Structures are given as structure tokens and as C-alpha cells.
């Protein structure tokens, strides 16, 4: 599958007849809401784990030195915390452009609490997309993030803002926090040289 997913996503018309749709964000969509929304609520999805396994050539890296950003991978029993936004369907044109480097819109069940849930959409970069970077040791991931930067800024900023947003949501994401610890140690070592 080509990395640019805009044309595939524009054919995704699942909620087109609806006045509004819930969008679940688990990465930069949590901390960078550069789109209009009607409501915003902390939420989670089940059966998916957040991983820094997607390459970023367009936002937090370059073709020569790609960064790493998060995607979701299926994992039984996993709970992924994030932020849900109620948006109007027109907003997807902007989001499809922003998430074009491999992310596809997927329908998911979004939970606001044990009792309250709704169907909505999220963006997932699956392992079939050309920019998929795949699993790596968390320390190696931190090394790659420490060196990368792109048009949206430093890759380390993405990681630190995400970790901060997850703390604010009360989410204990072992993968993200382990990479953050490695990154902060690397930065301290570099500063001490
Ligand atoms: C998301 O935030 O939901 C998708 C991944 C990203 O843009 O960082």
C-alpha cells in the first residue's frame, strides 16, 4: 500500500450522513487539536496497544532520517486511553491530509466509561503501509526519536507532549513512559558532554 492514504480515506463514507461523528485520538490528536470540534472527552478503546512503530517522514522526520510516531497494534486485553472529539464529517478532509503518511480511518467502539460507549472513527497505520517502521527495542526507538526532526518539529517534542498528555489523562502507558525515560537519559548524557 502506498504511504499516501488521502484517496483511500476520502472513499470512507461510513458516517457521511451523520451530523457529527466521534473521533478517537491516541497520539498527536490528543495534544494537538488543530481542528474544530463540538465536544472533547477522555475515552479509551479496548483490544489495541499504542506503539511507536510508525515511521514519520512528513511531520517529525525526513525521508533521510525518519522519526517515529505512534500507531495501534491489536493486543488481546489491552486498553488504550486517549481523547475523543465530536466533529462534523467535513473535518475529515483536514484530518486525512494531516494523517496521510500511512494512516487509514477505521471504525471502532469508543468507551467513555464502563457503561457508556459509541461507534466512531480513529486513524491506524497498519503494518501494510510503506512507512511502517515496526517493533524495535525501546532504547533504540528513543535513539531514533532523539535524532529526528521534521516540518512539525522535533520528534522528541512529540514524545514528551504525548507522555505529558497521558499523565494528565491518568494513563499508565509503560511503552511510552519507558521510551521517555530513555530519551531523557540520552539528553542528559548529551548535555553533560
Ligand atoms: C492519533 O493521534 O490518533 C493518530 C496518530 C498521530 O497522529 O500521532
Amino acid at each position: 500500500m502506498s504511504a499516501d492514504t488521502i484517496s483511500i480515506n476520502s472513499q470512507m463514507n461510513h458516517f457521511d450522513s451523520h451530523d457529527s461523528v466521534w473521533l478517537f485520538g491516541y497520539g498527536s490528536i490528543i495534544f494537538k487539536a488543530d481542528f474544530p470540534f463540538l465536544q472533547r472527552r477522555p475515552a479509551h478503546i479496548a483490544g489495541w496497544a499504542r506503539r511507536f512503530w510508525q515511521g514519520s517522514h512528513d511531520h517529525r522526520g525526513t525521508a533521510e532520517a525518519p522519526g517515529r510516531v505512534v500507531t495501534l497494534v491489536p493486543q488481546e486485553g489491552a486498553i488504550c486511553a486517549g481523547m475523543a472529539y465530536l466533529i462534523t464529517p467535513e473535518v475529515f478532509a483536514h484530518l486525512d491530509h494531516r494523517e496521510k503518511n500511512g494512516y487509514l480511518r477505521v471504525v471502532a467502539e469508543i468507551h467513555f466509561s464502563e457503561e457508556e460507549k459509541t461507534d466512531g472513527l480513529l486513524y491506524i497505520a497498519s503494518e501494510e503501509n510503506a512507512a511502517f517502521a515496526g517493533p524495535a527495542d525501546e532504547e533504540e526507538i528513543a535513539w531514533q526519536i532523539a535524532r529526528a526532526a521534521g516540518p512539525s518539529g522535533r520528534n522528541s517534542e512529540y514524545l514528551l507532549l504525548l507522555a505529558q498528555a497521558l499523565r494528565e489523562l491518568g494513563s499508565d502507558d509503560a511503552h511510552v513512559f519507558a521510551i521517555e525515560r530513555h530519551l531523557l537519559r540520552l539528553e542528559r548524557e548529551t548535555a553533560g558532554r
Side-chain angles (χ1 to χ4, degrees), residues 154-169:
R154 298 193 60 79
N155 202 175
S156 57
E157 182 195 39
Y158 176 105
L159 166 62
L160 297 174
L161 288 175
L162 178 59
Q164 184 190 326
L166 292 176
R167 268 188 206 98
E168 283 165 15
L169 286 170

Side-chain angles (χ1 to χ4, degrees), residues 24-31 69-71 98-99 103 122-124 158:
F24 178 79
Y26 56 90
S28 66
I29 291 178
I30 304 181
F31 62 80
V69 290
V70 288
T71 184
R98 169 175 161 168
E99 303 295 323
Y103 290 86
L122 45 74
Y123 284 86
I124 293 184
Y158 176 105

Side-chain angles (χ1 to χ4, degrees), residues 37-55:
F37 56 86
L38 306 166
Q39 273 187 62
R40 164 159 63 182
R41 292 179 72 182
H44 68 268
I45 53 168
W48 294 93
R50 178 176 14 239
R51 291 288 177 265
F52 267 92
W53 289 3
Q54 175 65 4

Side-chain angles (χ1 to χ4, degrees), residues 29-185:
I29 291 178
I30 304 181
F31 62 80
K32 188 180 174 191
D34 60 351
F35 50 87
F37 56 86
L38 306 166
Q39 273 187 62
R40 164 159 63 182
R41 292 179 72 182
H44 68 268
I45 53 168
W48 294 93
R50 178 176 14 239
R51 291 288 177 265
F52 267 92
W53 289 3
Q54 175 65 4
S56 179
H57 313 90
D58 59 341
H59 281 299
R60 299 286 178 167
T62 58
E64 298 73 40
R68 273 187 183 250
V69 290
V70 288
T71 184
L72 294 176
V73 295
Q75 186 178 299
E76 222 180 293
I79 297 286
C80 177
M83 189 62 85
Y85 300 85
L86 186 63
I87 60 175
T88 55
E90 307 83 73
V91 177
F92 282 109
H94 166 74
L95 289 165
D96 287 351
H97 186 263
R98 169 175 161 168
E99 303 295 323
K100 68 182 185 310
N101 197 19
Y103 290 86
L104 289 176
R105 290 192 222 165
V106 174
V107 178
E109 204 167 72
I110 301 171
H111 299 255
F112 299 114
S113 66
E114 291 289 312
E115 303 82 38
E116 201 188 346
K117 63 182 184 187
T118 184
D119 275 345
L121 286 173
L122 45 74
Y123 284 86
I124 293 184
S126 76
E127 60 187 19
E128 284 95 52
N129 87 87
F132 192 70
D137 187 79
E138 283 160 349
E139 191 168 0
E140 262 173 58
I141 293 179
W143 263 102
Q144 188 176 344
I145 290 175
R147 287 190 301 254
S152 298
R154 298 193 60 79
N155 202 175
S156 57
E157 182 195 39
Y158 176 105
L159 166 62
L160 297 174
L161 288 175
L162 178 59
Q164 184 190 326
L166 292 176
R167 268 188 206 98
E168 283 165 15
L169 286 170
S171 164
D172 184 13
D173 190 313
H175 172 73
V176 173
F177 293 151
I179 297 170
E180 182 195 35
R181 272 196 307 279
H182 286 302
L183 177 94
L184 293 174
R185 183 179 46 75

